[in-house]
Amino acid sequence: MIAQVIGIALVVIWVLIGLGLLVLELQHRRRPGNSLQVSSGHWNLDIYEPQHYRLIGKIEFYNPVRNLEVMIPELQAEVTLLSSDSIAGITQRITVTPQHPDCKPREDGYWFAYIVKSNKHTQVEISIDLQGPVSPIKAAWVQIHYVTYGPKGRLPRIHHEVVPLKFPAPDQPERWRPVPQGDVLPIATHLLTQLDDPVEIVHRYVLPHAQAGDVVTIGETPIAIMQGRWQHPREIHPGWLARRLCYFFLPTSSLATACGLQALIDIVGPGRVLGAFLGGAIAKVFGKPGAFYQLAGEQARLIDDVTGTLPPYDQFIVLGPDHPQRVVEQIQAKTGLAAAIVDVNDLKAVKILAATADVSTGFLESALRSNPAGNADEQTPVVLIRPTEPLRPSNAKQ
């Protein structure tokens, strides 16, 4: 009898220990750890001469966690230049200067470990000095390597910024092309980045060519890039589900890699992805392919995996745009042009993600079927469409 009581007591003790460890683990997973928010930088071309560019940017770090301090013991920057020509002969010098609110930077340029206290900010200034034949450079891809040190240990991080350096003239020559019921004008822009705004792009590049009744369309990927919805695969950590399910997608799908599928899981959750996978498998048995994408949500179709767009974004996973309907309504409110966000490819597939109420989606699909913006490095993310016949508006997908 005593042995039974002791046995039961031991079982209870081990169960309690197990529950305690489980609670501890769940609490640990919910804790923010080394959380630091990094804002998109503010960049200025301090010098813009044929043989000399100097680019200065300020990046802000913010600790949003209450009662938790996070240290930045290391920070350095590197730059990759994107050009239409050789970059041989261009010299570059990068200077990193901390701009902490309570400490002056060292004269020798050494980055000393700094504590970002709870709900506090700090900044760093990055100066990139380029000399030589710099005029062909289209953009600078700046990678900021830093280390966070805190409750989750020492974690290396990378923050990416793409800064345009070459800007086509807004009044570029017009090369209209005929399409059913209208004409289209692909419009070249600078390399769009997280520093840009869709309304400002339309003002700068489209309005010089537009007239009343025109429709401006912008690709869904450029909109997502301007919204900062792109991640490097190093920042994505595929879990058990992503590593196993990715094998079941076609090789050409952006969900056929563990990181691509994990990007979707991070947006909609593992439960929905698993449910969509099971539902899609059952639907396929009954001859109804494509159910996964319907069940998993709009982002499942819109994610572009690595190589899905032009450099340097070919190194990143680009998500679908956020609130596309809101974007087109802002464009129309501030420019007066009807607008749409579209997903077009060389297979003559046209998908209208959002459009203002006065746009005929049937007309858009017909006008864009030839993919006038192109799928290569044309860098014409905006297409202006001019109807040659009266159009009847139709309801766009919201």
Side-chain angles (χ1 to χ4, degrees):
M1 184 66 180
I2 295 176
Q4 290 179 339
V5 171
I6 293 174
I8 293 172
L10 289 174
V11 169
V12 170
I13 290 171
W14 281 111
V15 169
L16 291 174
I17 291 173
L19 289 174
L21 292 174
L22 178 61
V23 170
L24 188 63
E25 177 64 20
L26 291 175
Q27 286 183 335
H28 172 73
R29 289 175 180 268
R30 294 176 60 186
R31 294 185 188 277
N34 298 11
S35 293
L36 276 182
Q37 295 177 359
V38 187
S39 66
S40 293
H42 300 281
W43 294 88
N44 292 304
L45 270 168
D46 186 53
I47 298 177
Y48 193 59
E49 300 173 352
Q51 293 289 317
H52 187 193
Y53 289 169
R54 185 165 66 198
L55 186 63
I56 296 178
K58 291 187 178 181
I59 313 297
E60 185 174 84
F61 294 83
Y62 172 61
N63 179 3
V65 184
R66 187 176 62 181
N67 300 325
L68 180 64
E69 295 181 345
V70 179
M71 291 166 249
I72 308 177
E74 295 180 24
L75 190 147
Q76 56 187 352
E78 64 173 309
V79 62
T80 300
L81 302 178
L82 297 146
S83 173
S84 56
D85 206 343
S86 170
I87 60 172
I90 298 177
T91 61
Q92 57 178 262
R93 182 168 60 90
I94 303 173
T95 305
V96 175
T97 306
Q99 295 192 331
H100 305 312
D102 51 359
C103 299
K104 292 183 178 181
R106 289 171 56 108
E107 294 293 335
D108 59 4
Y110 176 81
W111 177 275
F112 56 88
Y114 181 76
I115 300 174
V116 186
K117 297 181 180 179
S118 173
N119 295 318
K120 297 296 183 181
H121 301 255
T122 192
Q123 285 189 336
V124 57
E125 180 182 276
I126 298 173
S127 173
I128 301 170
D129 199 277
L130 306 173
Q131 297 198 39
V134 294
S135 55
I137 299 175
K138 291 183 177 181
W141 172 16
V142 184
Q143 301 177 58
I144 301 162
H145 301 261
Y146 64 100
V147 171
T148 64
Y149 186 79
K152 294 214 170 177
R154 184 181 183 279
L155 301 179
R157 303 288 192 207
I158 304 179
H159 177 70
H160 302 269
E161 300 264 325
V162 179
V163 186
L165 295 174
K166 191 171 186 179
F167 304 89
D171 56 347
Q172 54 199 280
E174 296 185 358
R175 294 183 174 87
W176 291 89
R177 306 176 190 173
V179 294
Q181 296 181 282
D183 297 299
V184 297
L185 176 65
I187 297 178
T189 70
H190 62 268
L191 181 68
L192 299 179
T193 77
Q194 78 290 341
L195 303 176
D196 292 305
D197 175 77
V199 173
E200 293 177 0
I201 293 301
V202 173
H203 266 290
R204 181 172 187 171
Y205 292 107
V206 180
L207 288 187
H209 308 280
Q211 65 183 33
D214 289 353
V215 182
V216 58
T217 66
I218 307 179
E220 53 94 8
T221 297
I223 292 291
I225 286 171
M226 286 187 275
Q227 292 176 332
R229 293 175 61 79
W230 37 285
Q231 296 174 278
H232 198 279
R234 281 181 292 194
E235 302 162 6
I236 297 173
H237 306 287
W240 185 92
L241 191 66
R243 292 183 181 277
R244 283 150 183 82
L245 295 191
C246 66
Y247 287 100
F248 292 91
F249 292 87
L250 292 174
T252 54
S253 170
S254 289
L255 306 180
T257 66
C259 288
L261 186 54
Q262 186 62 46
L264 177 63
I265 292 173
D266 290 342
I267 297 171
V268 304
R272 184 170 182 179
V273 170
L274 179 59
F277 177 79
L278 296 174
I282 294 171
K284 191 174 289 187
V285 171
F286 291 95
K288 295 183 178 180
F292 171 86
Y293 294 94
Q294 297 174 354
L295 296 172
E298 188 78 358
Q299 288 293 329
R301 294 184 182 275
L302 299 179
I303 291 173
D304 284 326
D305 202 357
V306 167
T307 74
T309 187
L310 77 171
Y313 304 109
D314 62 326
Q315 304 289 326
F316 294 83
I317 295 172
V318 182
L319 309 178
D322 190 30
H323 299 297
Q325 190 63 34
R326 185 186 303 170
V327 174
V328 295
E329 290 171 358
Q330 288 174 343
I331 290 174
Q332 185 174 51
K334 296 182 179 181
T335 68
L337 291 177
I341 295 174
V342 299
D343 183 14
V344 186
N345 61 36
D346 284 337
L347 301 177
K348 300 185 182 301
V350 180
K351 183 174 178 59
I352 312 299
L353 273 67
T356 50
D358 52 349
V359 171
S360 165
T361 55
F363 166 67
L364 285 186
E365 290 170 357
S366 176
L368 296 173
R369 193 161 286 125
S370 62
N371 193 15
N375 262 27
D377 59 354
E378 294 89 347
Q379 209 167 302
T380 52
V382 182
V383 174
L384 186 63
I385 307 177
R386 180 163 297 164
T388 54
E389 301 176 14
L391 300 177
R392 184 178 179 181
S394 59
N395 291 328
K397 183 171 181 181
Q398 305 296 311

